[in-house]
Amino acid sequence: QMIGSKASISKRFCFEDVRRFAELSLDVNPVHLDEAYAKESIFKERIVHGFLVGSLISAVIGTKLPGNGSIYLKQEMNFKKPVFIGDEVVAEIEIIEEIRPSIYKALTQCLNQNGDVVIDGFAIIKFG
């Protein structure tokens, strides 16, 4: 029975993670990379790319629940709070519904080290 199953993964983000993601994604917005620029932004310091943080949800789905063989069909992400360099984020998923055989809906969220929700949403996942 998949309903009610939960899994999580955590990661502390360093500047090198942000720099490498900027290089791979081509998102070189200075709010992520330039300390002086970020200081003048609404965040007052550099922030981690939202999609880099959200990729932890993919890591949970692909490696833990449902794990190998799972295929992402949909992901909704609501960006609630910024993630700063040095923050540790826990990505959690909980399977809440079987939409049809082998296709599940999961609640997805990422929380920072203070327990604040930084991303929430849901995923639709095919398994098997």
Side-chain angles (χ1 to χ4, degrees), residues 11-12 83-84 86-90 111-116 118:
K11 177 173 177 54
R12 182 175 305 279
V83 172
F84 300 103
D87 282 358
E88 180 154 0
V89 175
V90 175
L111 300 99
N112 67 15
Q113 66 275 4
N114 303 318
D116 299 326
V118 296

Side-chain angles (χ1 to χ4, degrees), residues 22-35:
E23 188 178 296
L24 290 170
S25 68
L26 307 180
D27 180 353
V28 294
N29 183 331
V31 77
H32 304 301
L33 302 169
D34 183 324
E35 209 164 343

Side-chain angles (χ1 to χ4, degrees), residues 4-69:
S5 299
K6 296 180 181 180
S8 65
I9 201 167
S10 69
K11 177 173 177 54
R12 182 175 305 279
F13 290 97
C14 66
F15 179 68
E16 183 61 13
D17 298 324
V18 172
R19 190 198 65 70
R20 289 168 62 203
F21 187 80
E23 188 178 296
L24 290 170
S25 68
L26 307 180
D27 180 353
V28 294
N29 183 331
V31 77
H32 304 301
L33 302 169
D34 183 324
E35 209 164 343
Y37 180 92
K39 206 168 278 189
E40 301 300 317
S41 76
I42 60 170
F43 304 113
K44 303 301 180 205
E45 60 182 289
R46 292 173 299 180
I47 59 169
V48 180
H49 298 77
F51 274 79
L52 175 54
V53 176
S55 72
L56 293 181
I57 298 166
S58 180
V60 178
I61 290 169
T63 66
K64 295 190 172 192
L65 180 66
N68 293 347

